[in-house]
Amino acid sequence: MFMRRRPLVRPVVRPAGAPLLRGALVGGAAYAAGRSAARSSRREQDQEQAIADLQYQQQQEAQQAQQAAPAPPPAPPQAAPAAQDPGGLTEQLARLGELAQQGVLTPEEFAAAKARLLAG
C-alpha cells in the first residue's frame, strides 16, 4: 500500500487570539450601533410625546378661553353728527380729502372714512 507523505489540506496557521479578537470587535461594534439606534429612537419618541402633550394643552387652553370669554357687548347707538350739524360734515369731508392728498390716508382708508361719515 501507498502511504501519503503530506496531508491534502494544510491547516491555516493564525495567532492564537486572532479569531476571538476579530469576533469581539465585530460584535462590540454591532452592539454599540444597536444601542445607539435604540437610544436615538427612544429620544425621538420622547420628543414626539412632548410635542403632542404641548399641542393638547394648547387646545385645552384655547377651548377654555373661548368658553370663558364673555360675548362682546352690543355697540350703543350713536347719534348721527350729519343730522345735527350739516356744516360739520362738509368740514370733515374736506379734512379727509386734504389728508388723502397729503398721502397720510391711502385711497382705501379715505373711501372707508368717507363712507362712515356719510352713513352717519
Side-chain angles (χ1 to χ4, degrees), residues 13-14 19 22 27-28 30 48 50 52-53 64 66-69 78 87 91 98:
V13 179
R14 291 188 181 136
R22 186 176 309 127
E48 288 176 1
D53 290 343
Q64 289 176 357
Q66 286 176 353
Q67 292 173 355
Q78 297 179 355
E91 290 174 8
E98 290 173 6

Side-chain angles (χ1 to χ4, degrees), residues 106-116:
T106 64
E108 294 83 19
E109 291 173 337
F110 173 72
K114 184 171 100 173
R116 265 197 317 263

Side-chain angles (χ1 to χ4, degrees), residues 18-32:
L20 182 60
L21 180 61
R22 186 176 309 127
L25 288 175
V26 171
Y31 172 77

